[in-house]
Amino acid sequence: MLVSEGPAPGFEKLPFDKNRGSLYVRRVQPDERLECFDIDHEGEYRGIRVRVSSSTQGRVMAVTRDPQAQQYGFDPFERDSWVRLIPRDDRDLRFVETRTPVPAPWMR
C-alpha cells in the first residue's frame, strides 16, 4: 500500500484521525511495477558538510559530524553528531537531491 499525506491521482482519503491527520492510500497490485528510490539530500552549510531532512515551518533539519558546526549554532545530537533547524531558503545552505534506484521492497 502506498501512503501520501496529500491528495494524489488514484489515492483514496482515509477517515481523519486526530493522532495522524489526513492520509491518502493506494493499493499496489501484486504484479504492478513501480520505480522505487532511496533519496538523499546532502550539501553544505557555511562550509560544513551536512545531510538534510525535511522539517516543519519552512525549515530543514541539517545534521553533521563536523565538530566545528557548534560555532554555527548546531546543537549536540546523538554521540558524535550536531543538528540545527535551518530555514529552507537560507542563502548559506546548499544541497542536492540524489535518487538511487532500488528494488521495490515487496518484490524482494
Side-chain angles (χ1 to χ4, degrees):
M1 183 176 304
L2 298 175
V3 179
S4 173
E5 292 179 350
F11 283 68
E12 297 176 24
K13 185 174 183 177
L14 291 177
F16 181 81
D17 180 306
K18 67 179 181 175
N19 295 320
R20 65 165 162 70
S22 295
L23 286 181
Y24 300 79
V25 297
R26 182 171 83 77
R27 296 199 188 291
V28 177
Q29 301 305 315
D31 61 344
E32 188 174 357
R33 303 282 182 215
L34 296 174
E35 291 184 277
C36 294
F37 301 91
D38 277 338
I39 301 176
D40 292 313
H41 297 92
E42 294 184 10
E44 288 188 355
Y45 180 71
R46 297 185 178 174
I48 295 172
R49 301 236 2 109
V50 293
R51 179 163 249 179
V52 179
S53 301
S54 295
S55 188
T56 59
Q57 301 171 348
R59 302 176 297 182
V60 296
M61 182 174 69
V63 179
T64 184
R65 291 189 179 271
D66 188 333
Q68 293 181 1
Q70 295 174 82
Q71 65 188 350
Y72 295 111
F74 282 69
D75 295 317
F77 177 70
E78 294 184 349
R79 188 173 175 178
D80 59 351
S81 298
W82 290 264
V83 65
R84 178 175 174 178
L85 293 175
I86 300 172
R88 182 177 286 277
D89 60 356
D90 189 309
R91 297 169 83 177
D92 292 325
L93 176 67
R94 289 182 294 286
F95 63 92
V96 295
E97 177 178 283
T98 304
R99 291 174 172 243
T100 306
V102 296
W106 60 89
M107 300 299 284
R108 293 182 188 158

